[in-house]
Amino acid sequence: MNPFGTGRSFHGQCKKQGTGVKIQEIQWVLTIPAIWTDAAKQFMRECAEKASIPPEKLLLALEPETASIFCQYLPTEKLHGADQTFAMSAEGTRYMVADIGGGTADITVHEKTKDGRLKELHRASGNDCGGTSVDGRFFQMLVKILGGPVMKKIKDEDPAAYLDLFREFDAVKRTIVTGKEGKVNITIPYASLDANCREMLGEDLKAVIASSPYGNEISLRGDKMRIDAHLMINLFKPTVDNIISLMFEILKDKKVQNVTQILLVGGFSECRLIQDAVIKKFWDKKIIIPEEAGLSVLKGAVLFGHRPDYIQSRVLRFTYGVEIVNAFNPITRCQISDGNRRRR
């Protein structure tokens, strides 16, 4: 959790770098998915405190909120999809924030108030349909090709090769586009994969791929795995469909009427397949994507640390009863005795 081990060693690192910064002088901001439960948030707070972060200097920030705050300060030319007449900072502006990161997709709706702060109109909703869900389907495809034991051995005994493989796949996720035809090239750790196939399967990597269920759709050329574009795009389809469904359900809510803009932030929002799907489905709304969308949460967290009251109000996830009244019995047409009360 804490790369420096303890608060004292962190202070030592700051002193070593010549900053002269004391740990008590730092305001810590820990960003978390908005869909997390209160128990999960409390767990993160306790972990941070165990890592020697002073509790009075720690703020928990919801990721879609920090991204929304950051975009308030961006000029129009930094917001792709916004025209010169667009002003996110204008009072009364309503827009959806779709924070699509690696693990989760958090979607909420904000309104800019007259005092320059933000009001939440719809509580954050979402699920685990982030970029790692696509990684999971890519992994399962490799299991069908190479077998579970081979993939497990590479993951456990050659983590560098495993990470290189998924790092290359992550780069492809950001560049593949709708309507792509032909082949998609992925650089693979050929030496590691081939050696493990020979050892555990008795065949080289090329032969294993040719005899797999994807033999007609995947081929090798040097250290490149060439995958049919339609197969690659199909890995994204369940995730993209889930994201679109979440956004559609929120926009049907009467509390968020007159939302005309959708703000896409988070690392996975840079995927062209997601952008194209959102533009196609919500053609009647302005789709806005800030430059370096993957850094929106990080940069917004810095702004939130300077102004923690930027969010004026939020929608409660639960409501709580504050009074107790006698329940009405429709049969006897009278109230039930004090011993059988109900909350409201």
Side-chain angles (χ1 to χ4, degrees), residues 177-243:
V177 297
T178 305
K180 168 74 174 176
E181 297 181 355
K183 298 285 186 178
V184 176
N185 294 323
I186 298 180
T187 302
I188 61 173
Y190 177 83
S192 178
L193 292 175
D194 187 64
N196 280 282
C197 285
R198 291 176 185 273
E199 177 185 344
M200 301 184 68
L201 303 177
E203 295 181 310
D204 62 17
L205 178 60
K206 187 173 183 179
V208 171
I209 292 176
S211 61
S212 74
Y214 302 100
N216 296 326
E217 299 169 297
I218 300 177
S219 60
L220 281 181
R221 179 174 294 177
D223 64 345
K224 299 287 194 301
M225 179 180 284
R226 307 186 73 240
I227 306 173
D228 280 1
H230 74 87
L231 176 60
M232 181 66 71
I233 292 174
N234 283 340
L235 296 178
F236 290 79
K237 191 176 188 306
T239 297
V240 174
D241 289 347
N242 283 338
I243 293 171

Side-chain angles (χ1 to χ4, degrees), residues 17-35:
Q17 296 296 326
T19 62
V21 177
K22 299 179 181 179
I23 192 169
Q24 293 81 7
E25 297 173 336
I26 299 174
Q27 178 67 68
W28 301 77
V29 180
L30 178 61
T31 63
I32 56 176
I35 62 173

Side-chain angles (χ1 to χ4, degrees), residues 37-58:
T37 64
D38 291 340
K41 296 172 185 176
Q42 180 64 23
F43 176 76
M44 289 301 294
R45 179 176 290 278
E46 292 177 3
C47 288
E49 292 176 6
K50 284 183 178 294
S52 301
I53 295 177
E56 69 277 7
K57 290 292 185 179
L58 175 64

Side-chain angles (χ1 to χ4, degrees), residues 9 62 80 95 110 200 204 234 334:
S9 61
L62 304 183
H80 300 297
Y95 56 93
H110 286 162
M200 301 184 68
D204 62 17
N234 283 340
C334 65

Side-chain angles (χ1 to χ4, degrees), residues 323-329 334-344:
E323 295 180 359
I324 297 178
V325 298
N326 292 336
F328 178 75
N329 189 327
C334 65
Q335 291 180 323
I336 300 174
S337 65
D338 290 350
N340 296 297
R341 292 179 171 179
R342 67 177 183 181
R343 293 180 178 176
R344 70 175 179 183

